[in-house]
Amino acid sequence: MAKTLPLRLPSLTSLITTHHFLPPILQPLHSPLRRRRLTTAVSSSSSTQTSPNTDISGAALNSKSGVITPRSQEFNAWYLDVVANAELADYGPVRGTMVIRPYGYAIWEAIQEHLNVKFKETGHSNVYFPQFIPYSFIEKEASHVEGFSPELALVTIGGGKELEEKLVVRPTSETIVNHMFTQWIHSYRDLPLMVNQWANVTRWEMRTKPFIRTLEFLWQEGHTAHATPEEAEKEALEMIDLYTRFAYEQAAIPVIAGRKSKVETFAGASKTYTIEAMMGDKKALQAGTSHNLGQNFSRAFGTLFTDENGQRQHVWQTSWAISTRFIGGIIMTHGDDTGLMLPPNIAPIQAVIVPIWKKADEKAGVLAAAFAVNEALISAGIKVKLDDSDQRTPGWKFNFWEMKGVPLRIEIGPRDVSNRSVVISRRDIPGKQGKVFGISMEPSVLVPYIKENLQEIQAALLEIAVSFRDRLNHLSNIVDVSSYDELKEVISEGKWARGPWSASDEAELKVKEETGATIRCFPFKQPEGPKTCLMTGKTADEVAIFAKSY
């Protein structure tokens, strides 16, 4: 590993003196290596499979050192350092699992709070379906079981006895949802039926990375049933549009929305729509998906309704999801060598107040002013944290909250108290350039100033991310190509390739095998004019985007 350039926080000594229960037997399908490991791990109730604090690459999650590897030096090590030092997550005792720490979970709660409102505004209701699914349900939809078999975890023993039927630990819920929809839907009057659940999911991943790909993760999954194919298609498109607006407006992540290729379509879906984001290392991240399921699951499960003419029809369905992977996307889009950088709209803490004093007789006045500012900001709806601990120096606090990505820092010292003012520093503008002195602490002045700066930071982070992806001229990280040789060259440079495509599934798989890149999507926004397939030389109707991905 290359030598790191340390960014160190002062140690505390220099300044002063949940994991979910796992079923008794988990058996992944078609995964001999994992199965061998699990045999030892779960053969008795007293044994537990453990793993060192490293990801698949061998890099460690170690928050004790206070060191963050420079992003440009080794992106994966930088990412893991940020996750650890910003106290977002840690490794669980079972290999491939993670424990989401309070600060990381607070980001997920901010995502939940926004999306939950949007889902309800669009007519969806929250429900919860069981985590355990009969294996026979998975087998009912052929492409679904084929697509998910390598990732399934099975429960074979419960209550000390072998189960009559294996149970699948939820990898997704289309099957059990359809089982229940069949009981709930009888007539066209029962449609549309639109539900969402916030839940955990288990997929037996072989290569893991905190937030991005883990054995178990959190998500929301929406499921809807409709009377016509047009209604289902409209729903699928509306939800991917909702995700797109969330990415831009809340997470400040510019995404490209489009349709997945047949090869990349969700197992059991007729169409899959996606939002694709470019990370700081130029890899693509599938940040959210929406599936038009057609009648594939309703035919497999016999989910029927009586239409207005008295005829029995299969329902048309959709499903759509965003997961905790989005947190990883936020880290890799906005973070820098100092650590995390959070868009204010989803930051658990939008401003941190750091009171500063040296002499004992200064403490009371400084803290009184800090508490007053804190109360004023809370009353204005700003998410604020007052760090009034006297066990750490102001310098330590500055570094710590910068590393955790808090958008604004408010400093209050004895001179500020005398002047009835504060000092404000922006996380997105390093050093003196981002620091402003003499801002009045009167709420009528301070509150609008803070809100304006939060809006500016939100816009600035989006602008920077867009600029990184779409730089004009030859430096652009999305490059238009017209031949396979050009595509291979662009991918070898670590960039995204965009070009006309009408070739076969076999040709698409060839690209993946030879370059490591996949079709991320056929963007909704397409260039006008005639197009010639970069692979076959034949007429093409659309351009596709190719990239290596997480």
Side-chain angles (χ1 to χ4, degrees), residues 181-214:
F181 275 13
T182 299
Q183 300 177 46
W184 297 343
I185 297 171
H186 306 287
S187 162
Y188 68 91
R189 296 184 182 88
D190 300 321
L191 298 173
L193 179 55
M194 303 193 295
V195 300
N196 172 71
Q197 77 165 342
W198 297 91
N200 62 326
V201 168
T202 298
R203 295 182 184 175
W204 214 267
E205 300 283 0
M206 298 299 291
R207 298 184 62 84
T208 60
K209 187 184 187 79
F211 290 113
I212 299 301
R213 194 174 293 276
T214 50

Side-chain angles (χ1 to χ4, degrees), residues 82 103 120 155 162 174 204 206 295 314 336-337 442 483 497 519 532 548:
V82 172
Y103 196 62
K120 291 178 181 180
V155 181
E162 187 168 346
E174 280 76 9
W204 214 267
M206 298 299 291
Q295 294 179 316
H314 289 93
D336 61 11
D337 286 353
E442 292 300 321
S483 70
I519 292 180
T532 302
K548 293 182 179 180

Side-chain angles (χ1 to χ4, degrees), residues 185-191 226-229 231 295 303-316:
I185 297 171
H186 306 287
S187 162
Y188 68 91
R189 296 184 182 88
D190 300 321
L191 298 173
H226 305 269
T228 68
E231 290 178 15
Q295 294 179 316
T303 312
L304 296 157
F305 73 101
T306 302
D307 66 17
E308 294 183 51
N309 298 317
Q311 301 298 311
R312 296 289 284 168
Q313 305 282 353
H314 289 93
V315 298
W316 302 82

Side-chain angles (χ1 to χ4, degrees), residues 351 377 380 382 408-410 422-426 429 433-457:
L377 297 184
I382 295 167
L408 289 174
R409 183 177 72 244
I410 303 170
V422 299
V423 178
I424 295 179
S425 295
R426 283 176 52 159
I429 304 177
Q433 285 184 317
K435 180 172 284 195
V436 179
F437 296 84
I439 304 300
S440 172
M441 65 174 63
E442 292 300 321
S444 61
V445 176
L446 182 60
V447 168
Y449 185 87
I450 294 292
K451 288 185 174 181
E452 181 181 352
N453 271 262
L454 291 174
Q455 291 173 357
E456 288 178 2
I457 294 170

Side-chain angles (χ1 to χ4, degrees), residues 527-545:
E528 297 181 356
K531 304 172 186 66
T532 302
C533 178
L534 65 89
M535 183 68 85
T536 66
K538 297 179 180 179
T539 300
D541 295 326
E542 301 173 291
V543 299
I545 291 178

